[in-house]
Amino acid sequence: MAGTAGRKAGDVSRRGKAIDPTRFPNISALRAFEATVRHGSVMRAAKELNLTDGAVSRAVREMEAEVGFPLFQRGNRSIVPTHVARTLAEDVRSVLDRLASALAQARRTSGPGRPITLSCEPTFLIRWLIPRLADLQEVVGPARELRLVSAGGAVSFARDGIDLAIRRADFEMAGDVLAKPFLDEHVGPVCRSDLAPRLLGSGAIEGVLLHTATRPHAWANWSRLTGTELRPAREIRFEHFYLSLQAAVAGAGVAIGPIALVSDDLANGALLAPRGFVADGSQYVLMTAREGYDRACFDTVLDWLRTRGNELTTIPG
């Protein structure tokens, strides 16, 4: 055993990196190490961190150099964390979360001119929020810059430096998240004017139906809510909602249109909603972290969202 220990110490010495127990790896190495352990994959860790595979691999090896021994068992196409690595990664995650929380708290209390980072679902951001961004900026005030982030699902406010988030409340929210509704979701078939005559009346929906992977059951749910039969001649599927809605604007078929996401196209005549809209039971909410949040900012944005959301109820079908 002593000989083995001696050889390991010699390896470290030959590389010119004597281990200093008071030295800490840099944040990049810690994040790459923790993500690689959690995913069990350099590639997935790199995707999460928006880095290249090579950058994550180098950071992981830097972490190993700092501790002085291997943290992974490597194969031709695999990287398996050791038991020590798994235990260490849990502690690293805890430290990173605490650091992120401390930094977020410091940013929240750094003064009235601090920027506001708002995370928003991509289609809602593109089709509703951005066209009204100037109005929101005026309400927030010119002294505070609005920074927009496109994202969906659960939000890590402290880790990602997010102040506020707009989401459709279709997922379970953590207990440390404050969420207030501002808009009830209403949906209905939408299409270009030349396809609208086929949708008039109360009969079955025919023609080309446009689907989206982000809400794969949208048509089925609308059919159930309205008791309307679907008889598609053909179906086209898109990766994102905004793509299916843009295809409807282009005349490619009929899409399910959430009222907020098609309101501008209805107003300018690019789309029609011959069957009107029906509530689907879901809501859009404004979210923030419960601990240490900027209440004045949250209330200002929430009031604005509710006011502008109420305007949607006046849009004709």
Side-chain angles (χ1 to χ4, degrees):
M1 293 296 292
T4 302
R7 284 193 297 274
K8 288 183 177 178
D11 289 342
V12 173
S13 177
R14 281 195 297 273
R15 295 188 181 103
K17 291 187 178 182
I19 304 303
D20 180 355
T22 65
R23 178 186 172 92
F24 287 94
N26 63 47
I27 293 294
S28 298
L30 290 170
R31 293 182 67 206
F33 162 70
E34 186 280 330
T36 302
V37 171
R38 177 159 39 85
H39 289 292
S41 164
V42 168
M43 181 176 65
R44 288 195 290 270
K47 184 176 181 180
E48 176 186 311
L49 299 174
N50 291 319
L51 298 172
T52 64
D53 293 2
V56 170
S57 293
R58 287 191 296 273
V60 167
R61 291 195 179 277
E62 179 182 341
M63 182 73 179
E64 290 178 314
E66 291 289 352
V67 299
F69 52 83
L71 294 168
F72 297 88
Q73 297 175 347
R74 293 173 171 82
N76 290 334
R77 288 190 170 183
S78 66
I79 181 167
V80 180
T82 64
H83 175 73
V84 171
R86 293 183 187 280
T87 301
L88 179 59
E90 292 179 4
D91 292 335
V92 168
R93 176 72 270 161
S94 177
V95 169
L96 290 175
D97 285 343
R98 289 169 59 190
L99 177 59
S101 179
L103 289 171
Q105 177 65 16
R107 293 185 182 110
R108 280 192 289 269
T109 59
S110 64
R114 182 187 60 79
I116 301 168
T117 301
L118 171 61
S119 171
C120 186
E121 293 188 345
T123 303
F124 195 93
L125 176 66
I126 293 170
R127 298 185 66 87
W128 192 84
L129 185 59
I130 287 178
R132 294 158 180 80
L133 185 58
D135 186 38
L136 176 56
Q137 180 69 73
E138 183 176 351
V139 169
V140 169
R144 301 199 68 179
E145 175 192 356
L146 278 171
R147 296 178 179 175
L148 303 181
V149 175
S150 174
V155 185
S156 297
F157 290 95
R159 186 189 70 190
D160 297 333
I162 303 298
D163 298 296
L164 304 173
I166 292 174
R167 294 290 189 271
R168 182 167 171 260
D170 56 358
F171 60 94
E172 185 175 353
M173 296 186 190
D176 59 353
V177 170
L178 174 66
K180 295 288 186 179
F182 66 86
L183 178 66
D184 293 332
E185 182 76 294
H186 289 73
V187 298
V190 294
C191 62
R192 205 166 65 178
S193 59
D194 56 326
L195 299 181
R198 302 181 189 178
L199 271 68
L200 296 173
S202 58
I205 296 289
E206 300 179 347
V208 179
L209 301 190
L210 308 176
H211 297 265
T212 174
T214 52
R215 293 199 207 177
H217 307 297
W219 269 111
N221 290 340
W222 179 84
S223 174
R224 174 181 54 80
L225 289 168
T226 61
T228 304
E229 182 183 0
L230 302 178
R231 296 184 203 160
R234 187 160 56 92
E235 296 176 291
I236 304 175
R237 303 183 187 278
F238 297 89
E239 184 177 1
H240 296 291
F241 221 137
Y242 58 82
L243 296 177
S244 68
L245 296 177
Q246 191 58 42
V249 171
V254 185
I256 281 293
I259 191 169
L261 307 186
V262 297
S263 59
D264 291 343
D265 286 323
L266 294 175
N268 63 29
L271 289 175
L272 297 180
R275 300 287 182 100
F277 297 88
V278 60
D280 72 357
S282 64
Q283 296 177 311
Y284 282 96
V285 297
L286 179 67
M287 303 163 55
T288 191
R290 286 186 180 275
E291 184 179 352
Y293 74 99
D294 186 336
R295 182 170 182 175
C297 177
F298 181 86
D299 290 345
T300 296
V301 174
L302 180 63
D303 288 345
W304 180 84
L305 287 169
R306 286 174 170 171
T307 299
R308 298 306 302 263
N310 286 338
E311 298 171 0
L312 298 174
T313 62
T314 64
I315 293 177

